[in-house]
Amino acid sequence: MALSKNRIKYIHSLELKKNRKTEKVFLAEGPKLVGDLLGHFPCRFLAATPEWLSQHPKLPVEDVSEVSDEDLSRASLLKTPQQVLAIFEQPEYETDASVISHSLCLALDDVQDPGNLGTIIRLADWFGIEHIFCSPNTVDVYNPKTVQATMGGIARVKLHYTPLPDLIQSLKDIPVYGTFLDGENMYTQKLSSNGLIVMGNEGKGIGKEVEQLINRKLYIPNYPAERETSESLNVAIATAVVCAEFRRQAASL
């Protein structure tokens, strides 16, 4: 069954945040990603090739279209369409800061690149971090590029958009970490198994208002220390390095 022009137009419209917000949905593409998300979010619509559908005979979806590769290519936002695309409902998560008191969480201060956010969600999933608190100006988690970059991590990691200064001020004595050039060597510090790790904007780092509220400043040392090197790490790579050290220390207790 061919996809109608209106259906293709609707799928393409979800590239814009305002349309995703109005419809309260997001787009996912590819066998791995769609397969991971089907059990976690209600699916409003799914389009797939006959080959993919034959391998998934019992789908929890009422609106399913069997389409040709050509139709899928016209509807897809990817350069190389991958057998299946689906439109899922956006979940609504309650923002509960109390999780920070007993688990390790991330906070993102105006991260702008969709790929970086998606990679950070994927990293959080890998390191067992279930909550990410994002400043209101952080890129939309349901941006199609972000969703693709999560590699399914979006199914297990909850994102909350909230003013970070208000969030941090409510934490009282809970450790709040951030990475800075004038921080303490991360590998010589005792890192807690709970608390908030703040990561900053790609170009500006952590904003001044948030920086003033951070009570544990860390530094990721380059190697060797005296060697001339890049000014900074990509925010997603820095997040991976920091999370790995937190989990290494927790595992050695």
Side-chain angles (χ1 to χ4, degrees), residues 64-239:
V64 177
S65 289
E66 180 179 305
V67 297
S68 66
D69 289 330
E70 290 76 18
D71 259 349
L72 199 63
S73 181
R74 281 193 286 270
S76 175
L77 299 183
L78 300 178
K79 290 181 179 179
T80 307
Q82 301 175 27
Q83 296 184 298
V84 59
L85 62 77
I87 296 173
F88 292 95
E89 293 181 14
Q90 295 183 11
E92 292 185 12
Y93 300 127
E94 181 181 347
T95 300
D96 180 8
S98 67
V99 297
I100 303 170
S101 66
H102 56 78
S103 66
L104 195 62
C105 301
L106 286 170
L108 304 180
D109 190 17
D110 293 5
V111 168
Q112 295 296 293
D113 184 81
N116 280 338
L117 177 58
T119 302
I120 289 170
I121 294 169
R122 185 178 178 184
L123 286 164
D125 187 31
W126 181 263
F127 286 112
I129 295 173
E130 298 179 352
H131 296 271
I132 300 177
F133 297 87
C134 301
S135 66
N137 289 329
T138 294
V139 64
D140 180 27
V141 59
Y142 300 114
N143 181 302
K145 293 179 181 177
T146 299
V147 173
Q148 293 300 127
T150 70
M151 294 296 287
I154 193 175
R156 291 167 292 276
V157 179
K158 297 179 174 64
L159 267 73
H160 314 274
Y161 286 78
T162 185
L164 295 186
D166 294 346
L167 171 73
I168 296 172
Q169 286 173 334
S170 73
L171 299 180
K172 297 180 181 179
D173 297 327
I174 296 172
V176 180
Y177 297 91
T179 56
F180 301 90
L181 292 176
D182 61 350
E184 299 292 331
N185 186 328
M186 179 178 69
Y187 299 113
T188 64
Q189 302 301 302
K190 180 175 173 54
L191 305 176
S192 61
S193 58
N194 71 311
L196 191 67
I197 304 171
V198 183
M199 305 303 295
N201 172 272
E202 290 88 347
K204 301 175 183 176
I206 296 171
K208 293 296 182 184
E209 190 178 3
V210 173
E211 179 182 350
Q212 293 171 1
L213 301 170
I214 290 172
N215 52 38
R216 305 281 198 283
K217 289 191 173 184
L218 302 175
Y219 171 61
I220 303 172
N222 61 298
Y223 183 85
E226 66 278 2
R227 181 178 176 271
E228 185 177 346
T229 185
S230 304
E231 184 178 315
S232 63
L233 289 172
N234 166 277
V235 63
I237 292 173
T239 303

